[in-house]
Amino acid sequence: MIEDKIDKIINKYQNKNGILIQLLLDIQRELNWVPRKAIEQINKKLTIPVSQIYRVASFYTAISLKPRGRHLVRVCVGTACYVRGGTRLLDSIENKLEIKSGETTNDELISLETVNCLGCCALGPVIEIDGQYFGKLNSEKLDKLLMNYT
Ligand code: FES
């Protein structure tokens, strides 16, 4: 049960201070997102205010308050990637997966997000899938790449 998984993680942090980020990251890793239920359980067991939990969870992009798919695709739409066709790649991915940025496919396989720079502008346009970077992409390379994840 999901509540038991969350409880087990929370229990590791009982009677410790300054643990909220690590706790949320552990839940994120276990469930692939941080559901409302987890926030309520943290509030109840560790007496951390709900508003504080949301503030921290919303600040870190590694933590998602919406269900995330098994794979996370992040498309760079920063300036360097934009001028090299980053938004065309984004359109192409959105059409192929039939979701918009910020959404997850119905089968919960892939979540799509945009990012303003992945720090490797010379390789633009760049996308990141599950932490791995793929650069100098065009639509043909993109199709082949996505086939590995769909
Ligand atoms: S703008 Fe895309 S990696 Fe920097």
Side-chain angles (χ1 to χ4, degrees), residues 76-82 84 115-126:
C76 182
V77 291
T79 307
C81 288
Y82 174 83
R84 294 185 177 112
V115 61
N116 286 325
C117 185
L118 288 167
C120 49
C121 311
L123 296 178
V126 184

Side-chain angles (χ1 to χ4, degrees), residues 4 8 10-11 14 24-25 30 32-33 42 51 58 62-63 68-69 71 80 90-91 95 119 139-140 142 145 150:
D4 296 335
K8 205 170 155 193
I10 294 172
N11 287 341
Q14 291 259 332
L24 290 170
L25 287 172
E30 180 68 29
N32 240 359
W33 70 300
I42 294 169
S51 59
S58 310
I63 297 168
R68 259 193 191 156
H71 301 292
L90 177 63
D91 289 344
N95 288 335
S139 129
E140 197 177 297
L142 178 70
L145 182 61
T150 52

